[in-house]
Amino acid sequence: MEGLRACVHCGICLPQCPTYRVLGEEMDSPRGRIYLMRAAADGRIALTPTLARHLDLCLGCRGCETACPSGVPFGSLLEATRGQIERRGIRSPESDQGTLSLLLALFPYPDRMAALLPALRLYQGSGLQALVRGLGLLAPFRRLRTMEALLPRVPGVGSARLEELTPARGGKPRGRAGLLVGCVQRFFYPDVNAQTARLLAAAGYEVVAPREQGCCGALHLHSGRLDDFRAMAKQLVASFRGDVDVIVANAAGCGSALKEYGHWLQDPEAEAFSQKVKDISEVLVDADLPLGELPVTVTYQDACHLAHGQKVRAEPRALLRRIPGLKLVELAESDLCCGSAGVYNLVEPGMAAELGRRTAERIRETGASIVAAGNPGCIMQMDRACRALGLNVEIVHPVSLLARALREAP
Amino acid sequence: MSVEAGLIRALTGIVGRAGVVATLEGRLTYECDMHTFYKGIPDVVVLPESAEQAAAVVRLCRGAHVPIVPRGSGTGLIGGAMAPQGGVMVSMTRMNRILEVDIANRCATVEPGLINLWLSNATRERGYFFAPDPSSQMVSSIGGNVSTNAGGPHCLKYGITVNHILGLQMVTGAGEVVWVGGKAQDRPGYDLTGVMVGAEGTFGLVTAVMVRLLHLPEDVKTLLASFSTIEDASETVSAIIADGIVPAALEMLDEVMIRAIEEGIHAGYPKGASAVLLIELDGPRAEIEAQAVRIEKICRDHLALELRVAQNDAERALLWKGRKEAAGVIGRITPSWLLQDAVVPRSKLPQVMREMLAISARHRLVFANVFHAGDGNLHPIICYDDRVPGELDRAKQANEELLHACLQLGGSVTGEHGVGLDKAKNLPYQFADADLNFMARLRRVFDPDGIMNPGKLLPDHPACGEGFRPVAPTLPGGTWV
């Protein structure tokens, strides 16, 4: 409530809000959403499906938090209010709760994801995907089509295995790093995890990726399913109980949630855990890495949960600039959400597609051939948006570029 | 007057379903601008995408005798973009295109919803900018700037909004679409552009604006001088102006404000000083170097504690970010506040600041000061806690006393925020009945039926019987007028 009162209604957040930029409507702006949350808290209005709808449409990108001079903690206010809406079972008919529930029952469960992968592999490998896309067979099915279009190339069976323990390989010893492997990351972009471990090892870290680690619960947190989130968070904290000096995340959404465990769990162990969490770019930025030439033009999109959620902006850029031959060109409004936002692009495909289109237009203006972004969801979303625009660019995690440039000692 | 379902259907016919906000939840968020003290929920909000749609909305409302309240980004500080009588609110946020940039003629034509700063962002590479820079410029719309005739820090040198408007398109309250002014200088006849700027939506809806663009200065120098008393800082301001220097900007911030800014923005203002002057010089390099030397001497003569020059663009930008977001950081220091916008002749600044300190002490209230010292335009933020019994009354009383102190020194009730609902009652302090009635009759020329933004700008009951009297506003309980 004090957080809500801190809003002075100045509106500085408005231009930084993706949904306001598209719609121009007060109730779909941060200031308007805060106003609605406060009106509900003051008992002026009830928590209605219409109110829920305006909160559902929020990406939770927290661009407004960066903009806010008064320090309104919008993200946690939103999550707390979504929690209340969820508990009371208030549903907006326009919001796609079915898809949301389906995804929340899938992504965080490694065994379920693992079971799905062979089918996806077959779909892509057999040429069926090419047929479906070529003939537009999914055109009549909006949800399915959205999910299908976002599907990245599913990695092969034997690709990029990540050992539970990777020994330090170079530099001065830096201690032990615990690696969060994520849900989407470990199944769709396992290379990024392997590359992260390689870079950490080259920087002097012993890397441990506990096998028993589950989902961090970020998706549940952002959807207001706080009980599920807390259970997952506790489990994750427990799985990193071993002796690690730093806990490394390479997915911005996960990293941001991990850093907030202290706030949401209110217990000393979770607080201590959160204190140790760092994004991979924060860890590597001052590490000695032997980097070779990589003559490419790259632009960088700020993942919201890095720039706004964790205030990490300079480190990824500084790292990319360290690669000899790499030319980094700035992307206009790089901290405006691309429309990915966790599972948002699956449950709000219309708004997400429009934001993706705008991001792709800005990417086109840079002339870069590679876009770097520190979050798997953003990579999928921009990949699809650029494809839709006929733009031939590669979307990668910054870690992948560093790994390409890394010259390891034999 | 409440809006009937039939009217909403007709509005939907004009702007489409996606252009109408009719739910309670949606409308509620439009019940106030930044002056959250005044609340009035519109019966419906429409978001036109063209002047044609806007004109059709006005004609429809005129026929139905329904009030219209225009709204830009909703950053106003006077209760202008809220609907005390309900009716139809017309949000201009979707009309935000740049229609033309004409560098050869140094002007641009834009739609009213365009955010002020976006215009300068779009022309900066070509060496041009739009000079009026209200502190809200990162969010406020050019239409809103025109309607309130907004000022800003750099208006000290460059002049206020009206000095930069070459022409505009308006849908009058009668539903006519008229273009006034234009690219050619010295147009014959009445200066209608000048009349329409600052009308606060009481004449009609501004649907396009032709603005002047200025060439970026050759160089900029930003100085920061800190003082151990507000009086020393005030005397310095008067001395700089008396010396014949017109800085691009001359802003004062006091200790309370600096503390809040540093907490929220970390802009690099010296903590602990009682007052800081932010002084910007721009123009030909040789000229500003010479001026800087004179200003530094004046500051030292007035016991400046520290003098600093911003070393690069990033440092300068950060200082300005602190200054421009000052109104936004006050949530960090107070739960509630009143914001004054009174003006004194700038030679009277030291006097009025002394008076302000006395008023603040008398009412046991904290004042946070951040203002255009060079213009004599005061913006004390009177901090109070609405949960403490009696504090609101003390704040209102202090506000009133300060206003009268400014008027006694030959000042004005408002400098740049406009009149709106907040200050309409204060106009009789400054204008004779005949003046107010003349303004009321002028208003009726543009808006014969009194549907445009009723209750704003002019007091409800001009003393003389012939004055235009809009329907008395019905305000929700607890509203302070």
Side-chain angles (χ1 to χ4, degrees):
Chain A
M1 189 58 204
E2 282 306 307
L4 290 172
R5 284 187 71 96
C7 174
V8 297
H9 222 245
C10 68
I12 290 176
C13 54
L14 300 183
Q16 306 309 321
C17 174
T19 57
Y20 180 78
R21 289 285 285 270
V22 172
L23 297 172
E25 292 172 340
E26 187 72 25
M27 63 284 188
D28 290 311
S29 78
R31 180 173 66 178
R33 290 182 180 118
I34 291 168
Y35 206 75
L36 288 175
M37 289 191 260
R38 186 166 170 178
D42 287 345
R44 291 185 65 201
I45 53 168
L47 289 175
T48 59
T50 307
L51 188 153
R53 177 68 200 142
H54 296 306
L55 297 188
D56 286 343
L57 202 57
C58 171
L59 297 125
C61 71
R62 297 166 65 180
C64 51
E65 274 185 42
T66 299
C68 179
S70 269
V72 176
F74 185 88
S76 49
L77 292 172
L78 174 75
E79 284 150 7
T81 311
R82 277 182 176 166
Q84 290 211 22
I85 288 172
E86 178 61 31
R87 263 202 306 284
R88 295 180 198 193
I90 296 157
R91 294 267 186 272
S92 160
E94 289 162 82
S95 298
D96 187 357
Q97 294 290 338
T99 301
L100 179 63
S101 298
L102 177 75
L103 295 167
L104 290 180
L106 179 64
F107 281 150
Y109 300 96
D111 48 337
R112 296 179 198 172
M113 287 290 281
L116 184 67
L117 280 200
L120 292 175
R121 225 172 261 139
L122 188 67
Y123 169 68
Q124 291 184 329
S126 65
L128 187 58
Q129 180 178 48
L131 190 70
V132 166
R133 286 189 177 176
L135 296 179
L137 294 180
L138 292 178
F141 311 106
R142 198 182 69 152
R143 284 183 200 174
L144 210 55
R145 188 186 65 216
T146 307
M147 288 190 219
E148 200 284 332
L150 278 166
L151 192 63
R153 185 86 218 151
V154 178
V157 180
S159 68
R161 214 176 133 70
L162 176 67
E163 298 303 328
E164 187 162 20
L165 196 77
T166 310
R169 291 180 53 117
K172 61 169 197 272
R174 294 257 192 165
R176 266 164 82 91
L179 177 60
L180 180 86
V181 295
C183 299
V184 173
Q185 194 85 290
R186 91 171 81 170
F187 289 108
F188 290 117
Y189 300 105
D191 290 356
V192 174
N193 281 337
Q195 289 155 352
T196 303
R198 242 180 85 207
L199 287 160
L200 284 169
Y205 287 95
E206 182 187 23
V207 185
V208 52
R211 283 267 182 268
E212 68 274 21
Q213 63 178 299
C215 171
C216 69
L219 294 177
H220 290 75
L221 169 63
H222 300 146
S223 314
R225 308 196 178 193
L226 300 177
D227 294 339
D228 293 341
F229 159 68
R230 288 196 176 97
M232 290 176 184
K234 277 185 192 145
Q235 225 168 27
L236 192 78
V237 171
S239 68
F240 277 88
R241 218 161 248 162
D243 175 31
V244 291
D245 301 292
V246 58
I247 295 158
V248 181
N250 57 17
C254 309
S256 174
L258 298 187
K259 287 182 178 180
E260 290 169 12
Y261 277 7
H263 168 79
W264 289 105
L265 295 183
Q266 297 284 330
D267 85 66
E269 193 188 5
E271 183 59 53
F273 176 93
S274 286
Q275 293 295 329
K276 281 190 194 169
V277 176
K278 280 195 158 58
D279 182 69
I280 180 68
S281 62
E282 295 178 279
V283 181
L284 293 180
V285 72
D286 54 1
D288 292 324
L289 291 172
L291 298 173
E293 189 114 355
L294 197 63
V296 287
T297 302
V298 178
T299 193
Y300 176 77
Q301 160 81 359
D302 287 281
C304 297
H305 281 84
L306 256 191
H308 306 304
Q310 303 179 53
K311 313 288 177 213
V312 173
R313 291 167 178 259
E315 293 85 347
R317 290 176 167 87
L319 271 171
L320 290 172
R321 285 204 185 92
R322 272 172 59 186
I323 300 175
L326 185 148
K327 186 179 165 211
L328 183 65
V329 288
E330 278 297 331
L331 175 65
E333 301 195 283
S334 64
D335 61 354
L336 212 59
C337 183
C338 66
S340 165
V343 292
Y344 185 93
N345 48 3
L346 297 173
V347 296
E348 298 289 348
M351 178 60 75
E354 173 57 19
L355 292 169
R357 188 189 64 75
R358 291 176 181 213
T359 306
E361 294 278 4
R362 293 194 293 270
I363 289 170
R364 173 147 66 189
E365 286 164 18
T366 66
S369 59
I370 299 177
V371 184
N375 192 55
C378 313
I379 293 173
M380 283 186 207
Q381 166 77 358
M382 287 190 284
D383 193 52
R384 182 180 74 150
C386 289
R387 244 188 296 131
L389 212 64
L391 195 57
N392 187 21
V393 292
E394 186 191 4
I395 323 279
V396 296
H397 196 292
V399 154
S400 302
L401 294 175
L402 287 164
R404 272 180 221 176
L406 185 67
R407 280 190 305 211
E408 279 168 299
Chain B
M1 182 179 313
S2 80
V3 168
E4 287 162 13
L7 188 81
I8 293 179
R9 269 198 302 278
L11 289 167
T12 308
I14 296 168
V15 294
R17 269 189 58 196
V20 173
V21 178
T23 63
L24 170 66
E25 293 84 349
R27 295 184 292 116
L28 187 71
T29 62
Y30 286 93
E31 72 173 354
C32 59
D33 51 25
M34 192 180 169
H35 200 321
T36 55
F37 212 96
Y38 302 108
K39 295 178 169 65
I41 304 183
D43 294 308
V44 59
V45 182
V46 295
L47 298 100
E49 293 184 18
S50 66
E52 291 72 32
Q53 288 185 0
V57 168
V58 173
R59 287 184 205 121
L60 182 69
C61 290
R62 189 184 181 202
H65 305 286
V66 169
I68 293 175
V69 180
R71 179 172 167 120
S73 297
T75 57
L77 292 157
I78 48 162
M82 41 72 74
Q85 301 176 28
V88 177
M89 182 172 276
V90 183
S91 166
M92 291 299 188
T93 51
R94 288 187 187 164
M95 290 178 63
N96 64 354
R97 292 172 302 165
I98 296 175
L99 301 173
E100 185 196 25
V101 174
D102 180 355
I103 292 294
N105 289 303
R106 297 196 171 196
C107 65
T109 306
V110 305
E111 290 186 320
L114 181 73
I115 288 176
N116 173 308
L117 190 59
W118 292 9
L119 179 56
S120 293
N121 286 347
T123 57
R124 190 170 295 117
E125 258 184 24
R126 282 177 273 184
Y128 287 82
F129 76 114
F130 177 55
D133 66 333
S135 293
S136 59
Q137 72 178 135
M138 71 296 263
V139 47
S140 61
S141 68
I142 289 180
N145 298 163
V146 165
S147 291
T148 54
N149 192 11
H154 289 78
C155 294
L156 176 60
K157 172 174 175 176
Y158 290 105
I160 53 177
T161 300
V162 69
N163 304 117
H164 300 270
I165 305 303
L166 299 174
L168 50 83
Q169 185 189 46
M170 182 182 274
V171 180
T172 68
E176 297 161 293
V177 181
V178 293
W179 250 111
V180 299
K183 289 180 188 177
Q185 305 275 332
D186 299 328
R187 298 174 69 84
Y190 305 113
D191 177 15
L192 292 175
T193 310
V195 173
M196 290 178 175
V197 173
E200 297 186 17
T202 62
F203 288 173
L205 299 173
V206 173
T207 47
V209 187
M210 185 184 289
V211 305
R212 189 191 306 283
L213 295 176
L214 296 185
H215 202 281
L216 287 163
E218 182 191 346
D219 202 4
V220 184
K221 200 179 185 80
T222 308
L223 298 97
L224 202 62
S226 57
F227 298 85
S228 60
T229 69
I230 288 183
E231 278 151 309
D232 286 344
S234 309
E235 299 282 2
T236 306
V237 171
S238 293
I240 291 172
I241 301 290
D243 200 46
I245 302 172
V246 182
L250 180 43
E251 302 282 305
M252 195 194 294
L253 301 89
D254 73 4
E255 192 181 356
V256 180
M257 202 66 245
I258 291 166
R259 199 164 8 100
I261 290 173
E262 284 310 301
E263 195 184 306
I265 297 166
H266 315 292
Y269 284 96
K271 280 184 255 187
S274 288
V276 163
L277 294 180
L278 177 63
I279 309 163
E280 188 153 284
L281 300 166
D282 70 15
R285 198 159 292 135
E287 182 186 320
I288 66 175
E289 288 301 335
Q291 286 180 342
V293 171
R294 281 158 63 196
I295 285 178
E296 284 181 27
K297 180 174 184 318
I298 293 171
C299 289
R300 293 201 194 289
D301 289 348
H302 289 85
L303 309 175
L305 298 173
E306 190 202 345
L307 259 168
R308 229 169 70 198
V309 179
Q311 293 303 308
N312 50 50
D313 286 346
E315 227 178 282
R316 172 179 309 114
L318 197 55
L319 285 172
W320 276 111
K321 181 175 161 64
R323 165 60 190 91
K324 296 212 164 180
E325 295 186 5
V329 301
I330 55 184
R332 291 179 183 272
I333 54 173
T334 179
S336 310
W337 44 277
L338 296 176
L339 177 59
Q340 181 57 264
D341 178 40
V343 188
V344 292
R346 46 201 164 193
S347 61
K348 306 286 189 193
L349 191 62
Q351 238 173 303
V352 80
M353 291 310 288
R354 271 195 293 277
E355 185 61 34
M356 191 189 303
L357 289 173
I359 293 171
S360 156
R362 195 155 63 232
H363 293 282
R364 291 170 284 126
L365 289 168
V366 173
F367 283 37
N369 269 294
V370 50
F371 63 100
H372 313 311
D375 287 325
N377 185 187
L378 310 177
H379 290 330
I381 296 164
I382 303 174
C383 305
Y384 70 95
D385 189 337
D386 53 350
R387 294 162 296 188
V388 175
E391 275 211 5
L392 169 61
D393 291 332
R394 295 213 306 278
K396 279 155 65 173
Q397 185 61 28
N399 191 32
E400 200 72 1
E401 286 174 22
L402 183 63
L403 184 72
H404 286 285
C406 293
L407 290 171
Q408 264 168 17
L409 292 168
S412 164
V413 296
T414 167
E416 60 180 10
H417 297 168
V419 178
L421 191 67
D422 186 38
K423 295 180 172 69
K425 65 182 185 304
N426 295 334
L427 287 197
Y429 298 147
Q430 201 175 334
F431 294 103
D433 292 351
D435 303 336
L436 289 172
N437 278 318
F438 183 77
M439 287 191 247
R441 289 205 305 277
L442 178 65
R443 181 173 180 164
R444 199 159 51 184
V445 170
F446 290 88
D447 174 28
D449 298 330
I451 59 167
M452 292 307 308
N453 216 2
K456 317 288 173 60
L457 186 62
L458 291 177
D460 296 324
H461 300 288
C464 177
E466 68 169 342
F468 159 63
R469 294 173 191 235
V471 188
T474 45
L475 295 172
T479 303
W480 167 58
V481 182

